[in-house]
């Protein structure tokens, strides 16, 4: 269960949510919420359900989430003197989340470029 906090943090960051936002939604302090993500304190079943609702993932998905398995590309290891190929699968939920995050960042880059151009034109 130690990875629950880490998983919550990872998925929260992918959703571009702040600890303050999560804490407000859970009616707790940001400091106490940070302790959940740092696995300093445990998370009750009811609070975990609320976190699950806020993040938009099932409790099972959050519990079993593995950041090491987010690529569907083969991993080639040659440290043993032989090549081993392992295919990692990405879940449809996680793929959608990454695509959403990429779209957000691309929009943000376009806006920043627009602001830079405007500043250069004013100079």
């Amino acid at each position: 269960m130690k990875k629950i906090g880490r998983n919550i943090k990872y998925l929260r960051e992918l959703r571009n949510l702040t600890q303050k936002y999560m804490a407000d939604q859970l009616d707790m302090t940001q400091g106490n919420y940070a302790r959940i993500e740092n696995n300093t304190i445990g998370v009750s079943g009811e609070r975990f359900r609320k976190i699950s609702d806020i993040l938009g993932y099932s409790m099972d998905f959050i519990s079993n989430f593995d950041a090491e398995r987010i690529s569907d590309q083969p991993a080639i290891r040659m440290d043993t003197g032989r090549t081993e190929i392992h295919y990692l699968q990405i879940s449809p939920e996680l793929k959608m989340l990454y695509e959403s995050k990429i779209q957000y960042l691309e929009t943000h880059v376009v806006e920043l470029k627009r602001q830079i151009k405007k500043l250069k034109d004013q100079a």
Side-chain angles (χ1 to χ4, degrees):
M1 284 301 201
K2 272 201 158 255
K3 69 179 189 169
I4 295 289
R6 182 187 69 224
N7 290 352
I8 290 169
K9 178 179 180 178
Y10 193 88
L11 294 168
R12 172 188 60 79
E13 289 174 343
L14 287 174
R15 288 278 191 210
N16 207 32
L17 301 174
T18 65
Q19 284 186 343
K20 175 76 171 118
Y21 174 82
M22 295 294 290
D24 289 346
Q25 298 300 306
L26 297 166
D27 196 30
M28 64 189 310
T29 67
Q30 184 270 328
N32 277 340
Y33 176 78
R35 288 178 185 91
I36 289 173
E37 288 189 354
N38 293 327
N39 293 305
T40 305
I41 62 173
V43 59
S44 68
E46 180 59 23
R47 183 156 283 150
F48 188 36
R49 186 194 60 73
K50 288 179 183 177
I51 291 170
S52 167
D53 290 345
I54 295 165
L55 294 176
Y57 294 103
S58 70
M59 293 188 309
D60 187 55
F61 179 82
I62 295 170
S63 297
N64 296 312
F65 177 75
D66 184 358
E68 300 296 320
R69 298 182 53 115
I70 59 174
S71 172
D72 57 2
Q73 300 300 313
I76 301 174
R77 294 185 46 181
M78 297 173 61
D79 58 340
T80 60
R82 65 181 188 271
T83 302
E84 299 174 18
I85 300 177
H86 304 276
Y87 286 92
L88 306 176
Q89 297 298 314
I90 186 168
S91 73
E93 288 177 315
L94 190 57
K95 181 179 178 184
M96 186 175 71
L97 181 61
Y98 276 115
E99 288 172 348
S100 165
K101 183 72 168 181
I102 289 167
Q103 182 179 9
Y104 166 79
L105 292 172
E106 287 173 343
T107 302
H108 192 63
V109 167
V110 168
E111 176 59 24
L112 289 173
K113 285 181 179 179
R114 186 191 65 76
Q115 290 177 12
I116 289 169
K117 183 180 180 330
K118 183 179 176 182
L119 291 171
K120 283 181 179 179
D121 290 346
Q122 290 176 353

